Each structure stands twice: as structure tokens, then as C-alpha cells.
Amino acid sequence: MGAIVLRELRVIGRRGALSAAMCVHVALLTGYLLAWGNGNGMPVAGALTVYDQTLMVDVILLAILLPWIAARCVAAERGDDLVMLSMVTAIPPSRVVVARALAATASLILVIASGLPTLILAGRISAVRMSLVAEYELALFSLAFVSSATALTWRHVCHSRVIGWFAAALSTAAVVSAARMAPSLVIAPVLTAAALCAMGLLALRADVSLRYLAERSE
Amino acid sequence: MIRTERLSKVTGRRTVLSEITFAVEKGDAVSLAGPPGSGKSTLLRILATLTQATSGRVEIAGIDVTTRPFDARKKVFLSGGVGLGCHDMKVLEYLRLIAATRALDRRGRAADVAPLIARVGLDAARNVATLSESEQRLLAMAASMASRAEVLLFNEPFAGLDMPAIECCTALMSEARARGAAIVASVDVDAPPSPIWNRQIHLETVGA
């Protein structure tokens, strides 16, 4: 299992999209803070503190970036290729799916964490307690579970990566909206649990749907 | 190692295999011969747990492949004609993955695959997606050896290979046989005889 997780992480790490997304995330978030960090606030959200606004922007950025990274970076095998991967490694398809989900989630957590210095800075500007900043950062990690679960689910449903990304982004956006933009420590465990359930179902289904090669390929 | 009983496979309206019964013992090297369309590849896929038989029974190392396909998969490795299962890996990583998931020693360490790569003459740093068909065949051969599976299945292992590569593959298969692996390989009807086979199973086209 460890070997297949390592393999999935290696595949994700090798793609430039992960580091590119991290750079975009940090640049846009920091750019926002530099532009509106003087206390005036963004025009449409003037009543919020600088920290709250930065957090809101972070959530929006992550809702777009995380599904894209998950859809773009995870290993390309699906269908018969996954059956073959299961055969050559003698690992059931469910474990391959779980390994993929773990690797994708770990990578997305890295992207979320890349915005932490900016959020700490925004927190200092707004005199927000460090413990509260850390709490919200932890809550943001639930988005990694949600994004990887939706991206992997759509990946198994549709052939196109672009459609998979759109669908995953919409699903993540819907979840973020339902969680009222910034998931709190109360909602985060619920989101994480729901995402883990979705991953579990996907894995269980893989053992049935990916047990044999498709008949057409014979 | 392999037992089949009245094994049949029907695809659509076509009967590909009809009531095949045979057994392969430890250390056997069996060639599957027959004209194109006689079901050689399908039989190998059924033995490799990649395709379900329509009826009949198959056991690999005492494990029923219909009821416990994932347990049987640990005992068997099929190479050739079915792809490698990975796109985003280098040759060394691919073989290391197989060794790490299938062939750990008592201390939980994977066997060193570098000597295998050297023997088949592949570049360890090449991406598997960029390999030619014959190079992929050699990689699949190395992969089957790295797996150290008890049952090794090969789909036309020598097709498209030059003589040194064929000799290398034959040597590797002989070594696997010497350590007790059972080998079954499909061969073309026109393929030259090889000293490695100790038995032959001939399949005939069943027809509609």
C-alpha cells in the first residue's frame, strides 16, 4: 500500500501543475492582501476585517484551484489501465483508489498550507488570535478532502479531464457555499467525514467495476 | 499450480473457448499453440483473473479465481498484449513498484531490480510511455521476473524481438522455471520451436 501511495505522490509531484498552482495561490492571496490590506477592505465586502476578507478570497481561490490540481495531477490510469495496475501490483483496485485519494489529498493540503503565511499576516493586521488563524487553517484542510473526493469521483464518471475539473469545481463550490464560504471547525469534520465516505464508496465500487477488463477490449 | 475444469468463454454470440480442461504443475513450461482466434489470449486473461469465464472452474495455486480473484492475483502475473498498467513512470520506478508490492523479502525489503534492467538492456531512466513495442515486451518480461509470481503467463513473449533479446528472455524464463514457477505462454503457430517448453497445449478455433 505504501509503495502505491508513494507512486501516486511521485506522479503528482512530477507534474508542473502542482507547483504552478501553489505559486498562483500564494501570488493572488498575497496580491489581494497588498492591494486591500490598508484597512479599507474590498468594496463589496467592506464590513469585514482584513483577515475575514483574505480568508474569504482564500476559500474562493481554493475552490477553483484544488479541483483543478486534483483533476490535472493525479495519475492518468482509469478503466482497463487500473485493472492492469491492480494485476501487476497484485493490489485490489479499491486500495489503488484509496492510495490515489490519499496522495491527492496530501498534495492539496500542501497547497492550502502554502497560503498560511499570508493568512497569518492578515490575522496580525486584524489583531486576530493566532489560535483562531490556526483553527481556520485546519478547517480549510477539509476542502482538500472534499476536492479530491469530488475530482476522483468525476474522474471515474467522465473521460474528459476538463469536464471532470468543471464538475469537481462546481461540486466543491457548492460545498463551500453550503458551508457559508469559510468552513468552521464545526462544519469541517462533517465535510471531511462526508468526503471520506465518498472515497470509501468509490473504493468499494472499484473492486466490483474494475475487477475485470472490459469485454470490448478483448 | 493451474487447474482448469470445463472452462468455457462466450463473447457475444461467439464461443471463444469450449470446455477446456488441463493442469499445469510447478516447474512446468507450457506453450499454448493454435491459430489466430483460437482463444489463446482469452485463456491467458482468464488465468490472470483479468477476464471472467462464462462457465467452468479455474484454480491458481489452489485458489478459485472466480470467488477470490484478488487472492489469486497475488500468485499470477501476465505480461504482453495487455499493456503495462502505468503511463507516468520510469522503467526503474515501474519495476521497483512491482517488486515492492509483490516480492518483498522476509525483512520487508523489495528485491533489487537494477540487474534485471541491465539484463534486458533497457534504460532505467526512460519513461515507460516512450518505449517501443519490443522494449515494452522486454519490460513486461523483466516485470514478470521482478514479481516472482508462482504462475507466469506470457502472451507471445518473443514476438517482434531480435535473437539476442529472445535468448535473454529464454534465459530469464528458464531461471523462473528452475525456481519452481509454472509458465504458460501463447506462441504463434509459425514460431520456431524453443527448448524451454516441456509441454504443449493446442487450441483449435471453436467457431460460432
Side-chain angles (χ1 to χ4, degrees):
Chain A
M1 183 74 174
I4 199 89
V5 173
L6 201 65
R7 182 258 168 176
E8 297 292 329
L9 281 172
R10 194 174 279 144
V11 169
I12 292 172
R14 194 170 287 153
R15 298 198 195 274
L18 180 67
S19 45
M22 283 171 74
C23 291
V24 167
H25 177 220
V26 172
L28 289 179
L29 199 62
T30 312
Y32 176 84
L33 189 62
L34 287 174
W36 279 286
N38 57 4
N40 292 333
M42 196 177 170
V44 289
L48 298 173
T49 65
V50 170
Y51 173 72
D52 287 336
Q53 288 184 55
T54 311
L55 185 63
M56 190 179 76
V57 170
D58 196 19
V59 172
I60 293 168
L61 282 174
L62 292 174
I64 298 165
L65 286 175
L66 296 186
W68 179 73
I69 299 163
R72 179 76 186 83
C73 294
V74 294
E77 301 93 18
R78 60 193 303 282
D80 282 356
D81 281 334
L82 271 181
V83 180
M84 278 308 298
L85 185 59
S86 164
M87 195 282 288
V88 297
T89 57
I91 293 174
S94 56
R95 291 195 191 176
V96 176
V97 169
V98 168
R100 188 161 289 182
L102 284 176
T105 306
S107 309
L108 298 187
I109 284 176
L110 204 64
V111 175
I112 295 170
S114 69
L116 183 60
T118 312
L119 286 178
I120 290 173
L121 198 59
R124 301 283 295 199
I125 292 170
S126 302
V128 176
R129 276 182 294 116
M130 268 301 290
S131 60
L132 197 67
V133 174
E135 190 179 299
Y136 272 110
E137 185 68 10
L138 271 181
L140 283 179
F141 287 167
S142 64
L143 291 181
F145 289 90
V146 171
S147 290
S148 56
T150 52
L152 288 176
T153 304
W154 283 107
R155 184 73 177 279
H156 281 269
V157 172
C158 50
H159 291 265
S160 163
R161 279 189 180 203
V162 178
I163 295 170
W165 168 50
F166 269 120
L170 284 176
S171 308
T172 307
V175 170
V176 167
S177 306
R180 297 180 178 226
M181 297 309 286
S184 68
L185 266 191
V186 181
I187 298 171
V190 178
L191 291 180
T192 306
L196 288 174
C197 284
M199 288 175 188
L201 286 174
L202 195 66
L204 286 177
R205 191 175 172 273
D207 270 351
V208 178
S209 62
L210 298 172
R211 182 172 292 190
Y212 299 113
L213 295 173
E215 288 280 322
R216 59 178 158 67
S217 64
E218 288 183 34
Chain B
M1 275 294 161
I2 303 174
R3 297 250 180 285
T4 73
E5 242 176 72
R6 306 184 71 179
L7 178 69
S8 297
K9 176 69 181 174
V10 178
T11 305
R13 290 181 178 179
R14 185 169 170 256
T15 303
V16 185
L17 297 168
S18 177
E19 310 234 327
I20 306 276
T21 299
F22 68 92
V24 178
E25 301 304 330
K26 198 174 177 180
D28 269 353
V30 178
S31 67
L32 270 181
S38 57
K40 302 188 293 289
S41 301
T42 305
L43 179 56
L44 288 176
R45 286 179 190 194
I46 291 171
L47 297 178
T49 75
L50 292 173
T51 298
Q52 194 170 20
T54 309
S55 64
R57 185 179 168 83
V58 183
E59 277 185 11
I60 299 287
I63 300 167
D64 189 319
V65 303
T66 309
T67 54
R68 294 166 59 200
F70 299 129
D71 288 329
R73 215 165 262 187
K74 292 174 186 164
K75 308 282 182 187
V76 65
F77 193 98
L78 168 64
S79 65
V82 280
L84 297 167
C86 292
H87 302 294
D88 307 308
M89 300 186 83
K90 297 184 192 309
V91 167
L92 180 64
E93 292 169 354
Y94 179 71
L95 293 177
R96 272 187 181 160
L97 174 68
I98 289 166
T101 51
R102 278 180 164 270
L104 295 176
D105 64 12
R106 285 178 187 168
R107 290 180 184 174
R109 290 180 310 193
D112 185 13
V113 294
L116 258 179
I117 299 173
R119 280 187 73 177
V120 296
L122 290 173
D123 179 358
R126 283 267 302 277
N127 190 311
V128 297
T130 65
L131 297 176
S132 69
E133 202 172 318
S134 59
E135 286 170 330
Q136 283 197 17
R137 209 169 276 281
L138 286 169
L139 177 60
M141 174 63 69
S144 62
M145 297 304 144
S147 76
R148 299 190 71 79
E150 293 171 45
V151 175
L152 297 176
L153 308 170
F154 299 95
N155 199 348
E156 307 214 355
F158 308 132
L161 299 183
D162 56 18
M163 196 45 75
I166 289 173
E167 283 169 5
C168 170
C169 291
T170 306
L172 286 170
M173 289 163 90
S174 299
E175 287 168 23
R177 196 182 155 196
R179 70 165 166 81
I183 296 175
V184 179
S186 67
V187 291
D188 193 52
V189 275
D190 303 325
S194 171
I196 188 165
W197 315 123
N198 67 331
R199 279 175 56 203
Q200 187 182 69
I201 295 174
H202 194 89
L203 295 176
E204 288 295 342
T205 307
V206 181

